[in-house]
Amino acid sequence: MLSVIIDEIKLKADKGRVLLSGINFTVPQNSILTIAGKNGSGKSTLLLTIPALLNEKFYSVSGKILFEGKDVLSSGNTELENIRRNQIRYVMQDSANSFNPLKKFRYYFEDILKDKTSQKEASDLFDYFMLPGIDKIFSLYPYEVSGGMAQRIGFIFAFLSKPEILLLDEPTSGIDSPVANLLLLKLKEFASTGNNCIILVTHDILFAEKVSDRIAVLNNGRLSELYPVSEFIQNNNEFSSLY
């Protein structure tokens, strides 16, 4: 279970302007939470706070991110690296820029694919997401694939890392409807396994309604109540201007 308690997130420049405040929610295991909102509402800022990825030079965060009894925000660098590598995996919207352009994709998967079981799992995922085979992808640099392909490779890397918490920033932004449906099914499968849970941020409400257990709306620096999907759909007119 993940608990997010954020008193304030401030931009250090601009006279310490408050970006988000009074945010408090819990994500149980085996569940998917979507945070909806307009572009610029702070969705990505909130998501980046969870694995403590906000740049401390520019942002100050007052609050706690509680995971397995520990506060992620107060963890040391070594512990943070372990958390990000093994427990909380973040997939950014612009996945192409999350890879070093001077490293072929093989470089990123070497530690994960050390045995035949994981190699088979990776091969199956590449097929599932309608990508060329592993040998082809691993011979390429990030700049040699489209944004949509890079996003799918980012999903695969995250799934193979087997985190307990998966964070997705606008996961449907670079993919078409058939691939979005494949992702939807894979996310539901992931969330139903072990102690896993997912938080995604998006303005794609149709996708959110299909994949989520609960949906909340971020607006004016505040997060709404976390609504069950059926209740959110019934009251959609109340929120439609906010995303």
Side-chain angles (χ1 to χ4, degrees):
M1 185 173 70
L2 177 75
S3 294
V4 176
I5 307 164
I6 295 176
D7 300 322
E8 286 185 333
I9 299 177
K10 290 183 178 180
L11 192 62
K12 289 185 176 179
D14 196 12
K15 299 180 180 180
R17 179 164 62 92
V18 176
L19 302 176
L20 303 173
S21 63
I23 293 175
N24 190 330
F25 64 89
T26 297
V27 187
Q29 66 187 44
N30 305 125
S31 68
I32 301 176
L33 168 65
T34 290
I35 298 173
K38 290 181 178 179
N39 289 335
S41 62
K43 303 188 303 298
S44 295
T45 299
L46 175 55
L47 201 65
L48 285 165
T49 305
I50 294 171
L53 283 171
L54 282 181
N55 191 326
E56 293 181 354
K57 291 182 180 179
F58 306 107
Y59 300 90
S60 65
V61 180
S62 173
K64 295 181 179 180
I65 306 295
L66 300 176
F67 173 61
E68 294 187 347
K70 297 180 180 179
D71 179 14
V72 175
L73 297 181
S74 64
S75 299
N77 289 336
T78 300
E79 189 173 12
L80 272 178
E81 288 178 6
N82 180 65
I83 289 171
R84 293 167 184 162
R85 182 181 297 112
N86 301 309
Q87 296 174 296
I88 303 177
R89 179 65 65 171
Y90 171 81
V91 182
M92 63 189 297
Q93 178 180 355
D94 186 3
S95 294
N97 286 330
S98 67
F99 298 106
N100 186 331
L102 301 180
K103 301 284 188 180
K104 292 183 178 181
F105 282 112
R106 180 181 302 277
Y107 168 82
Y108 295 95
F109 288 84
E110 284 179 346
D111 288 342
I112 297 175
L113 305 181
K114 289 183 176 179
D115 58 72
K116 291 185 178 179
T117 300
S118 58
Q119 291 169 15
K120 175 65 165 58
E121 185 178 357
S123 181
D124 289 345
L125 282 169
F126 275 85
D127 289 342
Y128 180 83
F129 282 107
M130 299 188 290
L131 288 166
I134 281 181
D135 290 340
K136 173 64 175 176
I137 292 294
F138 283 5
S139 69
L140 298 175
Y141 291 95
Y143 60 81
E144 294 182 298
V145 304
S146 68
M149 289 180 68
Q151 194 169 31
R152 282 178 276 170
I153 294 168
F155 297 148
I156 292 169
F157 185 73
F159 287 128
L160 290 173
S161 300
K162 301 189 185 305
E164 293 177 54
I165 299 174
L166 187 56
L167 308 174
L168 303 172
D169 191 349
E170 298 288 357
T172 62
S173 62
I175 57 178
D176 57 20
S177 294
V179 176
N181 287 331
L182 293 173
L183 176 63
L184 186 153
L185 295 174
K186 187 59 67 174
L187 292 179
K188 284 183 171 290
E189 178 185 317
F190 173 88
S192 68
T193 304
N195 297 325
N196 298 346
C197 66
I198 297 171
I199 304 174
L200 64 92
V201 302
T202 187
H203 58 265
D204 185 347
I205 296 302
L206 291 178
F207 183 82
E209 290 175 350
K210 292 177 182 177
V211 75
S212 308
D213 296 295
R214 295 183 297 169
I215 300 176
V217 176
L218 189 61
N219 183 49
N220 292 327
R222 295 274 185 167
L223 192 67
S224 75
E225 177 183 344
L226 276 58
Y227 294 93
V229 172
S230 59
E231 187 175 340
F232 182 87
I233 293 172
Q234 289 174 359
N235 295 281
N236 192 34
N237 288 337
E238 178 182 346
F239 307 113
S240 59
S241 64
L242 303 180
Y243 45 77

